Amino acid sequence: MRRSAASKKKSDSITTSTTDLFRSASSKATTKEMDRIDHLFNQYANISSNLIDPEGIEELCSNLEVSHTDIRILMLAWKMKAEKQGYFTQEEWRRGLKALRADTINKLKKALPELEKEVRRQSNFADFYAYAFRYCLTEEKQKSIDIETICQLLDIVMGSTFRAQVDYFVEYLKIQNDYKVINMDQWMGFYRFCNEISFPEMTEYNPELAWPLVLDSFVEWISEKEA
Amino acid sequence: MIPSISLHRQNKTKKISIPVLQLFLILLFSPKSLRASQELIPNPNPIVSPSPIPSGDMSNQKKRNFQIEAFKHRVVVDPKYADKTWQILERAIHQIYNQDASGLSFEELYRNAYNMVLHKFGEKLYTGFIATMTGHLKEKAKIIESAQGGAFLEELNKKWNEHNKALEMIRDILMYMDRTYIESTKKPHVHPMGLILWKDNVVHSPKIHKRLLNTLLDLVQKERVGEVIDRGLVRNVTKMFMDLGEGVYQEDFEKPFLEASSEFYKVESMEFIEACDCGDYLKKAEKRLTEEIDRVGHYLDGKSEDKITSVVEREMIANHMQRLVHMENSGLVNMLLNDKYEDLGRMYNLFRRVTNGLATVRDVMTSHLREMGKQLVTDPEKSKDPVEFVQRLLDERDKYDKIISTAFGNDKTFQNALNSSFEYFINLNTRSPEFISLFVDDKLRKGLKGIADVDVEVILDKVMMLFRYLQEKDVFEKYYKQHVAKRLLSGKTVSDDAERSLIVKLKTECGYQFTSKLEGMFTDMKTSEDTMRGFYSSHPELSEGPTLIVQVLTTGSWPTQPAVPCNLPAEVSVLCEKFRSYYLGTHTGRRLSWQTNMGTADIKAVFGKGQKHELNVSTFQMCVLMLFNNSDRLSYKEIEQATEIPAPELKRCLQSLACVKGKNVIKKEPMSKDIGEDDLFVVNDKFTSKFYKVKIGTVVAQKETEPEKQETRQRVEEDRKPQIEAAIVRIMKSRKILDHNNIIAEVTKQLQPRFLANPTEIKKRIESLIERDFLERDNTDRKLYRYLA
């Protein structure tokens, strides 16, 4: 790619490629920021692979004073659009931290509450929720996640907002035998369920509509329990 | 016109003489006018006639001034003229009313009336006529009023007839007035007026009005309780009412009549319903209905028929519908159970007349059918014998068919009710498809033996009728295939034509796919025959040894069975190998596997005392028995080893050879019922049988055991999954986007000829298809699904 005038590339969005970032050398401040971000990256990254691996992430977490099962790490991953669970690439790192305007650990720590607010906005949360599922797909061509992981994931992602639903659903998933895995469709179905159906009354729920079958069985199980 | 006289003017002194001259002139002419008025010249046509000449001297005429004048109406000054004329007429009317009209001259009276009208006395004539008639009628009314008892009506009738006759005559006389004066004044014409006068003065006379109505109603009541009345008399009276005007008939007679009838039937129906059972009540109701129609025909106006019949229908039927139909021991249900065709027919005809009548009957019949059917199919006793079960169903259907055609006039709505009821309860028992197939199996094995072709068709058609009620037709298909296979392979079918005929019927009902495999089975049988012929003709040396008959089955068409291992006796396996190489020589690229669990063998046996028998046994049994050619005693283990037949099958086989009375060709030690691993077996030298040919162990289709049933059911469920998916994909491919409820509805509809699809199952399949990226949910509207090409 030929070098174009730097001024043209001033207002690039986060999704620009590495080379573009590289070329936006117009603002000294930006470069300085990027340097600091890279510097931060190198603190946690594995030298040989040039990735932050699970070990690095654990260190990062302890520095940020959050547990590595905390939802905020997941939110950070979302912000970075990280693709592989447990690993951050340099590109992803840059992307995320630049968006958060954080180039030191402290700034990053301070940015987390803001990030949380941003993610929890109605317009973003659905995307985040779906991202959380995809993030857990480790194998290529994997389409579903095993029940145990789902239970953990549900707890992390939805536990704070929909405690009751998550608890009941997790209990149901552990008891039932029909499903060994949950797929994306069912995962998203649960999100809709929490948002649209009052709990525990569930008066609006109609099994004859297009709800995933697993939720039909879940609702039936609850009504039988209540009876 | 006064003849002019020229007045000569004289000198003034002669003034006095002029007036005198004029006066004289006037006096001269007036007497002539007076004289003229005294003659009544009836001369309607104005004629030109010369003015009357004072003297009869005709010769003087020529000198006179002759003028032709138009005829003019004489100004009548005589007021008595009208009175005199009227008196004549009045007298005439009196005479007519007094039946004394013979002496009257019609022409004269007519002329008089005509003149009156002509001279502008029409009104006097008219009012006079009314007054006179009224007077007469009042008299008549008095006479009628004074009549006693039965004479009342007779007197009324008589006077009415007289009045009509008189009225006619009077009308004829007054015809000119009718046509001219009355026309112009728009008053009622003579005849209608006469009727009005009769009505006002006689019928509505206070002493007559009520009494007349009550007399009539009384007569009707009498007739209703069985007395004989003078119908002609009543007819005349009702006809009189009609003549007076339809409104009069309705107000003065019909309305009260209907009310009184309504009361009467209300009471009577209450009495009857307490005292009679349903059948009798209906008979009585029918009788009353016929009576009323008869009554109308005899002495009421035709228009009353509908009204009185609806009164009877309402009071006797509509008001008691529910009670009649549900009557204990005699109501509809009882009639149905006991085939009371006549009563049922009567009920149908009567209830048809009232709103919701038939609906009531139909509903009760439907709920009875459903209840009865439900009991029939859920009764465990009845489900023990499948053939009995199905026969009962057929019998019930025949029974109700007959009822509907005999008593209900083949009413389509009742046919539909029958069909829907059957459909309802047949599907309550999930084994119905299996049982129907077993019924057919029984018929095709032996039941149809010796029955004429046309009767066979009848039976098969009836079976098809039951088949149509099944919701799970695919379950039937599965069983039917199994049973057909067994029948074909054991050669136990009574009539090939019957088999074929039924398959054709199934094809017509369900389409080609349903029967393609069945047809494949038949084709295989045929082909196998040809193959055997080819085999033996190419191996003539084998005609000496045991005869092998092979049926080559195409795997896809026949119900799948796992191949069971088995060591065939040497003689047999040699033959089998020869066949195998023959077959594979002509059909390359095919794989053959012997189905040892489905074969049979006929073997000749000689027992200890020389008894010879031909034993018809299964392949397994043959393998076991042939072992005894080489050893006298064999243990279970040895048999197992030699034949390599799996344990459960082997045990069953040995049981059938050793433990069944009359068929125990081998003896078992110990003599217990069950086969133990340490048992010993020897040939039963003492075996006897009446028959030379002994059949041991058949491969008869039986009602499945519980575990078998579960297995079949599971296989059916498994088979349904791809069918549901195929339907979903088909629908989505053409519609591209569809919402959830519509998909469920469409899929159910598409699969309905085969089975009733479960919405939950359909949902499962949809989700499976979503997972496999055939479909996706719409992002904005979660109810919609989209087809992914």
Side-chain angles (χ1 to χ4, degrees):
Chain A
M1 246 205 258
R2 62 177 178 87
R3 285 178 174 239
S4 51
S7 55
K8 280 195 195 159
K9 299 286 179 183
K10 219 178 192 170
S11 52
D12 275 336
S13 62
I14 306 168
T15 50
T16 45
S17 69
T18 325
T19 36
D20 285 346
L21 275 172
F22 224 178
R23 271 188 276 111
S24 66
S26 51
S27 162
K28 240 184 166 185
T30 336
T31 337
K32 266 241 144 67
E33 194 189 14
M34 197 46 69
D35 285 342
R36 280 198 288 276
I37 290 178
D38 285 340
H39 177 71
L40 204 54
F41 180 75
N42 291 327
Q43 277 189 284
Y44 299 100
N46 185 314
I47 316 288
S48 44
S49 58
N50 203 35
L51 296 167
I52 300 183
D53 59 13
E55 254 183 60
I57 292 184
E58 247 197 90
E59 213 189 312
L60 175 67
C61 289
S62 72
N63 287 350
L64 288 173
E65 289 170 7
V66 292
S67 150
H68 72 269
T69 51
D70 193 299
I71 192 177
R72 286 170 286 183
I73 290 299
L74 195 53
M75 289 180 178
L76 184 59
W78 172 77
K79 199 71 183 162
M80 292 182 194
K81 297 193 196 304
E83 283 185 22
K84 191 161 173 190
Q85 188 187 59
Y87 294 88
F88 293 148
T89 68
Q90 184 160 29
E91 195 182 315
E92 291 165 356
W93 180 261
R94 280 176 174 174
R95 185 185 298 139
L97 269 68
K98 183 158 197 308
L100 290 173
R101 319 217 63 124
D103 48 12
T104 62
I105 269 297
N106 277 335
K107 279 200 208 156
L108 186 54
K109 201 193 313 193
K110 288 209 183 87
L112 288 181
E114 253 327 294
L115 173 62
E116 187 168 349
K117 242 195 258 162
E118 185 195 338
V119 170
R120 289 205 184 278
R121 272 208 296 273
Q122 192 72 329
S123 45
N124 287 330
F125 196 78
D127 186 56
F128 171 71
Y129 182 82
Y131 172 80
F133 185 87
R134 285 196 301 275
Y135 195 61
C136 291
L137 299 172
T138 46
E139 309 297 320
E140 208 187 306
K141 297 207 180 184
Q142 185 184 357
K143 291 231 168 102
S144 356
I145 300 176
D146 64 281
I147 294 291
E148 207 180 311
T149 313
I150 287 287
C151 293
Q152 286 171 7
L153 195 62
L154 276 173
D155 194 45
I156 296 177
V157 175
M158 300 278 266
S160 45
T161 34
F162 297 107
R163 187 78 256 155
Q165 286 95 319
V166 169
D167 282 344
Y168 272 90
F169 194 49
V170 161
E171 190 187 332
Y172 171 69
L173 287 176
K174 293 202 168 122
I175 293 181
Q176 57 81 36
N177 290 321
D178 297 320
Y179 300 93
K180 305 264 182 325
V181 294
I182 295 291
N183 61 33
M184 175 63 100
D185 184 52
Q186 292 158 319
W187 174 254
M188 295 310 291
F190 183 69
Y191 178 67
R192 275 180 62 218
F193 178 82
C194 291
N195 278 315
E196 293 173 26
I197 307 290
S198 62
F199 199 80
E201 300 84 26
M202 299 185 294
T203 41
E204 311 94 340
Y205 190 85
N206 183 353
E208 286 175 24
L209 294 180
W211 293 101
L213 213 50
V214 65
L215 290 177
D216 290 347
S217 318
F218 171 54
V219 169
E220 204 183 310
W221 172 79
I222 292 186
S223 349
E224 277 167 19
K225 246 165 72 100
E226 304 294 320
Chain B
M1 213 165 78
I2 305 164
S4 59
I5 298 196
S6 52
L7 273 167
H8 294 288
R9 268 218 181 219
Q10 309 246 318
N11 49 23
K12 291 172 193 170
T13 50
K14 286 202 179 154
K15 261 194 204 165
I16 307 156
S17 59
I18 296 166
V20 173
L21 195 62
Q22 278 177 327
L23 193 62
F24 173 77
L25 281 163
I26 292 165
L27 278 162
L28 208 63
F29 284 97
S30 50
K32 285 185 197 153
S33 344
L34 260 172
R35 228 184 312 133
S37 72
Q38 240 129 45
E39 295 166 30
L40 290 170
I41 306 170
N43 207 337
N45 300 321
I47 326 167
V48 177
S49 71
S51 47
I53 306 163
S55 67
D57 193 352
M58 297 298 273
S59 54
N60 287 341
Q61 271 180 310
K62 288 178 189 164
K63 290 184 188 160
R64 282 243 183 197
N65 206 356
F66 193 77
Q67 281 181 332
I68 299 178
E69 302 161 353
F71 183 78
K72 58 179 187 261
H73 289 265
R74 314 260 158 171
V75 175
V76 175
V77 173
D78 186 359
K80 296 208 188 77
Y81 160 71
D83 286 332
K84 289 201 188 110
T85 323
W86 167 243
Q87 267 162 33
I88 298 174
L89 287 166
E90 191 185 21
R91 210 170 31 244
I93 292 179
H94 283 309
Q95 277 176 279
I96 290 173
Y97 263 103
N98 293 332
Q99 318 282 335
D100 193 19
S102 46
L104 296 172
S105 153
F106 175 76
E107 205 259 331
E108 186 194 329
L109 296 170
Y110 186 91
R111 207 184 334 126
N112 279 321
Y114 166 78
N115 271 336
M116 278 195 77
V117 177
L118 209 54
H119 292 107
K120 307 223 191 286
F121 285 109
E123 175 158 0
K124 186 176 168 69
L125 181 58
Y126 189 65
T127 43
F129 146 69
I130 289 177
T132 318
M133 184 168 274
T134 307
H136 269 281
L137 288 179
K138 281 199 159 68
E139 271 175 41
K140 308 278 183 201
K142 282 209 181 61
I143 301 177
I144 297 170
E145 281 163 24
S146 60
Q148 294 298 321
F152 174 70
L153 270 192
E154 281 173 19
E155 202 53 52
L156 176 71
N157 198 28
K158 197 166 111 190
K159 294 287 174 271
W160 165 250
N161 290 335
E162 285 171 12
H163 172 69
N164 274 325
K165 281 206 199 78
L167 186 56
E168 232 180 272
M169 279 193 240
I170 295 169
R171 197 248 341 248
D172 287 345
I173 294 172
L174 301 181
M175 176 131 11
Y176 186 69
M177 176 185 76
D178 228 8
R179 286 206 189 136
T180 52
Y181 168 71
I182 296 185
E183 242 348 278
S184 57
T185 59
K186 308 267 184 248
K187 292 194 182 144
H189 288 264
V190 172
H191 190 260
M193 193 66 210
L195 295 179
I196 293 172
L197 290 175
W198 170 269
K199 178 183 75 168
D200 290 340
N201 292 302
V202 179
V203 178
H204 284 177
S205 131
K207 292 219 179 95
I208 294 183
H209 194 189
K210 262 255 121 35
R211 187 174 164 192
L212 175 59
L213 176 64
N214 289 340
T215 314
L216 289 171
L217 291 180
D218 217 36
L219 285 174
V220 171
Q221 173 72 13
K222 281 207 178 81
E223 198 179 47
R224 282 190 179 140
V225 297
E227 287 183 36
V228 178
I229 61 167
D230 184 347
R231 287 177 147 185
L233 194 52
V234 181
R235 184 183 39 224
N236 286 342
V237 178
T238 51
K239 201 165 171 314
M240 173 191 84
F241 278 121
M242 279 306 282
D243 288 343
L244 291 178
E246 198 169 338
V248 179
Y249 175 75
Q250 282 173 356
E251 282 303 316
D252 286 357
F253 174 70
E254 199 186 47
K255 253 207 211 117
F257 164 70
L258 291 173
E259 273 169 32
S261 308
S262 177
E263 269 311 305
F264 174 76
Y265 283 116
K266 211 187 285 277
V267 169
E268 187 170 86
S269 66
M270 291 305 293
E271 277 173 26
F272 279 175
I273 208 152
E274 297 294 333
C276 311
D277 69 19
C278 184
D280 281 339
Y281 181 93
L282 291 177
K283 274 204 193 86
K284 285 196 177 12
E286 195 182 52
K287 189 160 141 272
R288 279 299 188 199
L289 208 51
T290 329
E291 254 180 48
E292 290 300 329
I293 296 177
D294 190 56
R295 175 163 299 121
V296 170
H298 274 105
Y299 57 81
L300 298 179
D301 179 69
K303 294 205 187 73
S304 297
E305 183 173 317
D306 284 339
K307 297 181 194 170
I308 183 65
T309 48
S310 43
V311 164
V312 179
E313 286 159 11
R314 188 184 63 235
E315 296 301 333
M316 293 213 82
I317 302 172
N319 288 347
H320 300 282
M321 251 187 345
Q322 289 296 331
R323 192 165 163 185
L324 282 170
V325 158
H326 290 289
M327 214 178 248
E328 285 256 354
N329 297 331
S330 65
L332 178 62
V333 172
N334 175 279
M335 289 183 198
L336 289 172
L337 288 173
N338 295 316
D339 293 325
K340 293 205 173 134
Y341 298 123
E342 205 193 298
D343 286 340
L344 287 167
R346 187 170 298 117
M347 182 180 266
Y348 181 78
N349 282 326
L350 287 175
F351 277 59
R352 190 161 52 163
R353 292 164 161 268
V354 301
T355 20
N356 284 337
L358 286 188
T360 312
V361 176
R362 200 169 42 236
D363 288 342
V364 172
M365 185 185 87
T366 307
S367 49
H368 162 71
L369 271 177
R370 286 189 184 211
E371 199 38 57
M372 173 211 71
K374 186 162 146 188
Q375 277 174 19
L376 192 62
V377 307
T378 49
D379 182 352
E381 275 299 309
K382 302 238 162 59
S383 320
K384 280 212 172 101
D385 180 359
V387 179
E388 259 296 304
F389 178 88
V390 175
Q391 190 59 49
R392 258 312 284 278
L393 289 175
L394 287 177
D395 290 340
E396 283 300 323
R397 201 181 185 292
D398 276 345
K399 174 192 166 90
Y400 281 93
D401 227 9
K402 186 147 176 232
I403 289 179
I404 293 178
S405 61
T406 328
F408 295 160
N410 262 329
D411 187 319
K412 236 197 165 8
T413 53
F414 280 83
Q415 274 288 354
N416 291 344
L418 177 64
N419 285 338
S420 77
S421 305
F422 264 77
E423 193 175 321
Y424 163 77
F425 64 72
I426 272 190
N427 288 302
L428 288 177
N429 185 339
T430 46
R431 298 193 80 164
S432 294
E434 186 195 343
F435 286 176
I436 296 180
S437 179
L438 283 170
F439 178 82
V440 173
D441 183 74
D442 177 79
K443 287 277 172 260
L444 289 172
R445 276 177 187 269
K446 39 184 162 72
L448 291 177
K449 214 180 196 138
I451 299 186
D453 277 341
V454 79
D455 290 331
V456 168
E457 286 295 305
V458 166
I459 294 181
L460 293 181
D461 280 333
K462 288 202 178 138
V463 171
M464 281 309 291
M465 222 160 37
L466 288 184
F467 171 77
R468 268 182 219 112
Y469 294 138
L470 288 175
Q471 274 170 354
E472 298 195 301
K473 297 190 171 71
D474 60 343
V475 174
F476 173 86
E477 187 192 350
K478 207 163 215 63
Y479 283 110
Y480 190 68
K481 278 214 285 234
Q482 281 174 19
H483 299 156
V484 167
K486 286 194 180 134
R487 277 202 301 278
L488 285 178
L489 292 177
S490 55
K492 284 279 188 297
T493 180
V494 150
S495 157
D496 250 353
D497 286 338
E499 297 266 5
R500 285 245 141 79
S501 167
L502 190 53
I503 291 186
V504 166
K505 290 186 207 296
L506 287 170
K507 184 150 81 169
T508 324
E509 189 67 30
C510 302
Y512 162 72
Q513 271 144 340
F514 197 90
T515 51
S516 61
K517 295 204 176 125
L518 292 168
E519 287 178 338
M521 286 195 243
F522 277 89
T523 318
D524 279 347
M525 299 300 290
K526 251 270 130 77
T527 318
S528 299
E529 267 178 50
D530 296 336
T531 312
M532 287 319 298
R533 258 195 299 265
F535 176 66
Y536 273 103
S537 62
S538 64
H539 290 271
E541 76 284 5
L542 292 172
S543 51
E544 291 296 316
T547 318
L548 179 71
I549 302 179
V550 181
Q551 265 123 12
V552 184
L553 314 178
T554 317
T555 318
S557 307
W558 296 74
T560 41
Q561 304 241 7
V564 182
C566 162
N567 270 347
L568 298 168
E571 307 95 313
V572 179
S573 59
V574 158
L575 262 179
C576 292
E577 268 317 301
K578 282 220 168 80
F579 179 82
R580 178 194 286 273
S581 36
Y582 166 78
Y583 187 84
L584 292 176
T586 43
H587 299 92
T588 46
R590 293 191 184 179
R591 209 171 37 175
L592 290 176
S593 56
W594 295 104
Q595 302 284 114
T596 47
N597 52 339
M598 288 160 80
T600 57
D602 292 328
I603 47 184
K604 290 206 178 89
V606 183
F607 291 87
K609 302 234 170 78
Q611 318 96 293
K612 291 202 181 121
H613 288 286
E614 192 175 296
L615 306 174
N616 176 266
V617 294
S618 71
T619 309
F620 290 161
Q621 287 164 336
M622 171 193 73
C623 296
V624 168
L625 288 175
M626 295 292 278
L627 292 176
F628 287 93
N629 276 342
N630 301 325
S631 346
D632 286 329
R633 293 172 74 86
L634 286 166
S635 70
Y636 174 83
K637 291 238 160 54
E638 287 172 315
I639 299 178
E640 193 180 26
Q641 224 170 1
T643 59
E644 287 187 21
I645 298 174
E649 273 84 11
L650 182 57
K651 286 196 176 139
R652 247 208 309 259
C653 168
L654 286 168
Q655 246 175 347
S656 61
L657 288 171
C659 307
V660 179
K661 199 155 171 237
K663 312 251 169 118
N664 47 339
V665 287
I666 51 180
K667 271 201 306 217
K668 183 172 85 79
E669 291 160 20
M671 297 267 278
S672 54
K673 263 248 145 182
D674 295 319
I675 310 286
E677 306 256 326
D678 299 313
D679 291 351
L680 285 168
F681 297 90
V682 294
V683 175
N684 180 9
D685 277 318
K686 295 210 187 77
F687 174 77
T688 51
S689 168
K690 276 192 289 180
F691 306 105
Y692 171 65
K693 288 194 183 173
V694 182
K695 201 153 92 166
I696 307 179
T698 46
V699 193
V700 175
Q702 281 161 338
K703 193 175 76 152
E704 282 190 322
T705 59
E706 252 327 288
E708 284 176 334
K709 188 176 85 165
Q710 300 285 18
E711 213 197 302
T712 314
R713 165 75 29 184
Q714 205 160 343
R715 265 188 273 151
V716 168
E717 292 297 333
E718 279 305 311
D719 283 345
R720 284 181 182 175
K721 286 187 181 154
Q723 291 178 60
I724 297 177
E725 289 194 352
I728 296 173
V729 170
R730 241 194 328 268
I731 290 165
M732 288 308 293
K733 197 166 179 182
S734 76
R735 307 290 217 98
K736 301 284 187 250
I737 297 185
L738 200 55
D739 73 283
H740 182 82
N741 285 337
N742 274 329
I743 285 197
I744 303 280
E746 290 274 343
V747 169
T748 312
K749 199 164 83 156
Q750 268 207 21
L751 295 170
Q752 187 253 342
R754 286 189 60 77
F755 61 90
L756 190 60
N758 183 341
T760 311
E761 196 54 48
I762 299 178
K763 213 185 198 185
K764 257 199 204 144
R765 294 294 105 220
I766 293 178
E767 284 182 18
S768 168
L769 287 170
I770 290 177
E771 217 179 297
R772 286 158 23 214
D773 290 328
F774 280 90
L775 303 175
E776 67 175 2
R777 282 192 211 269
D778 185 78
N779 276 332
T780 36
D781 186 350
R782 305 296 285 178
K783 280 198 305 294
L784 292 179
Y785 298 102
R786 192 178 287 124
Y787 179 69
L788 293 174

